[in-house]
Amino acid sequence: MLARLASRFLFETDKRLLWKFAYNFGFKGMRSVQKYKKRLKQGVHFPPFLFISIINSCQLRCQGCWVDITSPRQMIQLDELDKLVTDAKRHGNNFFGLLGGEPFMHPGLLELLERHPDCYFQIFTNGHLISDSVAKKLRKLGNATPLISIEGSEVVSDERRGGKEVLNKTLEGLRNCVKNRLIVGVTSSICQTNYDLVSEDWLRRLIDLGAHYVWFNTYRVVGPSPAPELALTPEQVLELRRFIVNMRTKMPIGIVEPYWDDRGEALCPMSTGVSHHIGPSGAIEPCPIIQFSCENLRDGRDIYQLMTESSFLNDFRRMSAEATRGCVVLERPDLVQLIVDKHSAKDTTQRGTAMSELEQLTPRSSQHNPAEQIPERHWLYRFAKKHWYFGFGAYT
């Protein structure tokens, strides 16, 4: 499996892009985590990876979306993004996830990549705006990987994403990436209507389409219009975990999921401190689905000061880790309310209904399942998770 995957990367992508991926993401990413672990020993929490929703605008209307896509446009201006990345680099960070809305609707996206050739960016996108010319520009820049959302068949995609011809437009963007020899991934939010994507046939199709990695998320029942009927059962979550572990030993495609460690114990990236989120208003939030904040990029301090001095973020990490190894929003929405109230945190949505949405949530299970833990089988995934994507003492 590993040899076939390496061969795909070697022969299907631009060699200069592969080098940038290996150095900017691989080597520097490992170095960033080592610096993070060193800071932790001194009691300082600054995540090695930052995820930034750079704009709220989007052409689609996905079920269960928590972003204010119908509200007036909010976005972090290019110079603000430039300062954010520059400040984070001073503390060893070189990898940034760019989300939206739809990131390619941000007028300064490509210039941001151009200003930071020493960094690596993962762009979460529906793929509709990746024309051949945009893909050519990404190849020239060499420091970004598009992660394209595909939610299933044409019918399911239109239903889930709230549009017409959604899948065809997405696949066109994917083809442009492959044509221009980019490193490209596909992400799917697994729910009841697309659970058939948990299959070898789906992974084979992604390989045939030219995707080099796949990111499996599980549907989160949050936002202004949650759809609890789409949520996975505990048995399906366990089946998904088992499928991922088995396919990592078999299929020549990288498989990403952010919910379990090397031993198969559940984890939350926010609780471990591995990552926090910055919204399109500049608000610094625990994670993308917890839309409350006590700090903002525009407060006048750099991102390191804002995060390391935040008692709000510190309480969220500590209290959620004490409560569960899973998703605190799903399992303990009451605890989220308690922390928000304690710090008088600001609702960072434009709709202004985040607290009432929390109050209406029914507690449900997440990936935390102590009775059924499935350790990593492949040595490389096991090694990588143990050293660079682990609990880091959050649950001890």
Side-chain angles (χ1 to χ4, degrees):
M1 181 283 297
L2 193 57
R4 287 185 293 157
L5 179 58
S7 176
R8 290 193 61 220
F9 271 90
L10 186 62
F11 292 106
E12 294 175 7
T13 64
D14 186 303
K15 302 301 185 291
R16 185 176 59 87
L17 272 63
L18 192 57
W19 165 249
K20 286 245 184 184
F21 172 77
Y23 186 66
N24 284 0
F25 173 71
F27 173 74
K28 290 184 178 179
M30 291 186 289
R31 186 179 63 183
S32 178
V33 172
Q34 294 305 120
K35 290 184 176 182
Y36 168 71
K37 291 193 281 189
K38 185 176 180 180
R39 287 193 297 265
L40 279 186
K41 293 178 181 179
Q42 302 168 343
V44 177
H45 288 80
F46 182 68
F49 312 123
L50 294 177
F51 286 84
I52 312 163
S53 290
I54 61 178
I55 191 168
N56 69 324
S57 302
C58 185
Q59 325 95 306
L60 302 180
R61 299 293 181 266
C62 299
Q63 289 176 322
C65 181
W66 56 81
V67 181
D68 291 314
I69 53 178
T70 59
S71 299
R73 173 172 288 192
Q74 278 188 335
M75 67 179 182
I76 306 175
Q77 298 297 325
L78 175 60
D79 287 346
E80 294 173 317
L81 288 168
D82 186 32
K83 181 180 184 303
L84 166 59
V85 172
T86 299
D87 289 344
K89 283 196 295 186
R90 293 194 185 102
H91 301 279
N93 289 34
N94 290 90
F95 174 76
F96 302 87
L98 303 181
L99 305 86
E102 170 50 52
F104 281 98
M105 294 185 75
H106 193 295
L109 172 61
L110 296 179
E111 186 172 345
L112 175 68
L113 307 186
E114 190 169 14
R115 289 187 185 186
H116 297 278
D118 56 340
C119 291
Y120 203 79
F121 299 88
Q122 185 178 50
I123 307 172
F124 294 71
T125 174
N126 57 45
H128 290 195
L129 300 180
I130 305 180
S131 62
D132 183 59
S133 62
V134 168
K136 279 184 169 64
K137 180 67 173 178
L138 290 173
R139 181 174 182 175
K140 181 179 179 181
L141 294 169
N143 61 340
T145 174
L147 180 59
I148 299 175
S149 297
I150 299 179
E151 301 301 341
S153 67
E154 293 181 23
V155 173
V156 171
S157 293
D158 285 354
E159 181 182 3
R160 283 286 309 279
R161 311 304 296 275
K164 298 292 185 183
E165 294 292 315
V166 172
L167 181 60
N168 290 337
K169 295 173 184 176
T170 295
L171 291 178
E172 181 63 24
L174 177 59
R175 283 190 288 267
N176 287 330
C177 292
V178 173
K179 173 185 173 184
N180 285 281
R181 301 179 66 81
L182 303 182
I183 297 172
V184 60
V186 167
T187 182
S188 299
S189 178
I190 303 300
C191 67
Q192 293 297 341
T193 57
N194 66 356
Y195 199 75
D196 59 326
L197 298 185
V198 183
S199 70
E200 287 189 42
D201 288 344
W202 175 240
L203 294 183
R204 289 193 185 93
R205 185 182 179 202
L206 291 181
I207 292 168
D208 290 341
L209 288 170
H212 300 102
Y213 65 99
V214 57
W215 183 319
F216 285 110
N217 285 296
T218 55
Y219 176 74
R220 296 305 204 230
V221 184
V222 295
S225 302
E229 69 278 5
L230 295 180
L232 300 181
T233 66
E235 293 76 19
Q236 286 174 317
V237 174
L238 184 63
E239 183 182 344
L240 174 62
R241 168 64 180 168
R242 184 174 290 109
F243 169 79
I244 289 171
V245 167
N246 290 336
M247 291 303 101
R248 281 174 170 157
T249 68
K250 183 176 182 179
M251 303 296 286
I253 185 170
I255 304 178
V256 182
E257 48 71 22
Y259 303 132
W260 294 276
D261 66 17
D262 62 303
R263 298 171 299 186
E265 292 188 274
L267 62 77
C268 164
M270 179 271 292
S271 297
T272 65
V274 169
S275 185
H276 290 309
H277 177 254
I278 301 162
S281 67
I284 299 170
E285 304 162 345
C287 80
I289 65 173
I290 301 176
Q291 294 177 294
F292 296 94
S293 175
C294 290
E295 289 83 22
N296 192 288
L297 288 179
R298 293 155 189 159
D299 288 348
R301 295 172 289 165
D302 69 26
I303 187 63
Y304 183 83
Q305 291 175 302
L306 288 166
M307 286 192 169
T308 58
E309 297 172 8
S310 173
S311 59
F312 176 63
L313 292 179
N314 185 63
D315 266 4
F316 244 112
R317 286 190 298 267
R318 178 180 58 82
M319 296 177 72
S320 63
E322 290 173 356
T324 177
R325 291 186 66 109
C327 176
V328 68
V329 182
L330 296 185
E331 295 187 23
R332 292 290 307 278
D334 62 310
L335 182 59
V336 177
Q337 294 175 60
L338 187 152
I339 303 171
V340 168
D341 285 337
K342 175 183 175 181
H343 292 271
S344 300
K346 179 183 177 183
D347 180 343
T348 56
T349 68
Q350 288 177 272
R351 59 188 181 270
T353 58
M355 183 57 82
S356 62
E357 292 163 17
L358 268 178
E359 292 170 351
Q360 294 170 28
L361 286 181
T362 300
R364 63 183 63 246
S365 63
S366 68
Q367 74 272 26
H368 183 43
N369 188 348
E372 295 280 358
Q373 295 177 351
I374 304 172
E376 290 295 337
R377 291 179 56 198
H378 194 282
W379 69 268
L380 182 59
Y381 284 97
R382 187 167 61 248
F383 185 83
K385 281 200 166 192
K386 182 174 183 178
H387 293 281
W388 299 300
Y389 201 83
F390 189 54
F392 300 118
Y395 303 105
T396 58

